[in-house]
Amino acid sequence: MSAVEHLDVLIVGAGISGIGAGRYLRTELPGRSFAILEARAASGGTWDLFRYPGIRSDSDLHTFGYEFKPWRDEESIASADRILAYLRETATENGLDAHIRYHHRVVAAAWSSAEARWSVEVERADTGERTRLTAGWLFCAGGYYRYDEGFTPHFEGRDRFAGPIVHPQRWPEDLDCAGKRVLVIGSGATAVTLVPALARTAAHVTMLQRTPSYVMPVAKKDPVANLLRRWLGEERGYRATRRKNIAQQRAVWRFCQRFPKAARRLIRWVNTRQLPAGYPVDEHFNPPYGPWDQRLCAVPDGDLFKAIRRGAASVVTERIATFTERGVLLASGTELAADVIVTATGLNVQALAGLALTVDGTPVRLPETVAYKGMMLSGVPNFAFAIGYTNSSWTLKIGLLCEHFCRLLAHMDATGTTVCRPEVSDPDMPTRPFLDFAAGYVQRVVDQLPRQGDRMPWLTSMDYHSDVKLLRNGRVDDASLRFSRAKVSA
């Protein structure tokens, strides 16, 4: 029988979080053995998976990019191919390519307190073969949605439609929408990206939404960032731009939270200036919820509004009664004709990349756990996960989490401990959902996710400056962490 491979750290997922985690491990703890397991055939996560027209970031790359690697492109709102090239360049520059194992899907992981390690079951996605390895730590960097399917609600009469029905998460390479009438169902970030991209060649694109979203134009190129690059150089210019944009994101979010009525009026004023005279702004761009109760949709250089102004795209706000042979019939009795229907109806959230975890034979039930510092789970030893911000650039938090993770491992090396388990000392501590966010994709699964507490370190911060104090500058050990040594030698 061949020996089972053992690693100090096993990272699940080779997307933006997994590549970041690998880089921090290589830099901060070069003596640690690790591997990055990726179920797909390529790295890049989201930026390799999605292939729909116009796919791009909705955050600026000076904050969505890594702190340690400057974004050198003139465009700060970037297309997927540029982001993917940036991620793969990061992996190569930091010697991570040899650590990434493709077609490796982690199915389950079992913690043994007797052995002080995880036993991890892995399935080869290309052959179906099952293998096993062990690890001292698991770091889940798989994001929070399912890669194999998107969310599509039930549509009455769907089978009646004669043309193709496509979800953006599974965009066919051979789909040609040129000269066709395209109906995009949805109002979120994917829909507002697709509509102007398709409108360049389609006969007409209609965005059909049940509820409006807040939509704001942003500059594709940041003139201040590009000036700072020329004045200060790549490294210093990037750091200065990053600080500027972090402050700007925080100010916008706090303004929207403190003064929602004023923020709503301001967004409406901007929309009115971007749309044709007399356009029914309140019908199509005035949501029933407050700004930043859900993410604001960014449109680079106002491309969605430009498509509407030139008549290449339109917005309809109404409910669908049924699909028909020619399109969809609305609740009002109006039929929208289409040659192609795109269901940009969202994502399916999947906690911890779908891992089935057990601790000493007992299954881990996520709703019964509480998140510690937004990166570990109560009662689960030697396990960390990476979830970014919902109100700012995802990667801002990922970098801080990876830093803290490496500091925690270094602390354990220094103290001779091998096991770290968060424990809630107050059983009566009030809890609420880990992702306290009104978006539909979160609300559909909120009862399947971990919880968060009402105080630090059990409160999951969504504020970068607070997390800098907690994760970068704060202690790695506190009363909520239980450290111990393995009872048997590894």
Side-chain angles (χ1 to χ4, degrees), residues 95-175:
L96 299 179
D97 293 331
H99 291 267
I100 302 175
R101 304 178 188 181
Y102 297 107
H103 300 295
H104 282 62
R105 185 173 71 89
V106 178
V107 177
W111 171 263
S112 166
S113 293
E115 298 179 350
R117 62 177 56 184
W118 289 97
S119 178
V120 183
E121 185 178 358
V122 180
E123 180 182 71
R124 287 293 303 257
D126 51 349
T127 65
E129 177 190 4
R130 292 280 179 116
T131 59
R132 187 175 73 89
L133 51 80
T134 62
W137 274 83
L138 276 184
F139 188 99
C140 183
Y144 61 43
Y145 67 89
R146 291 185 60 164
Y147 273 32
D148 58 340
E149 64 176 23
F151 173 72
T152 303
H154 171 73
F155 290 117
E156 191 68 32
R158 177 188 172 111
D159 293 340
R160 295 168 60 189
F161 181 63
I165 302 174
V166 179
H167 192 285
Q169 196 163 326
R170 291 183 172 272
W171 194 270
E173 291 185 9
D174 59 351
L175 180 63

Side-chain angles (χ1 to χ4, degrees), residues 110-117 359-360 381 419 421 485-488:
W111 171 263
S112 166
S113 293
E115 298 179 350
R117 62 177 56 184
V359 174
D360 294 329
V419 180
R421 183 196 307 252
R485 294 177 177 84
K487 296 179 181 178
V488 297

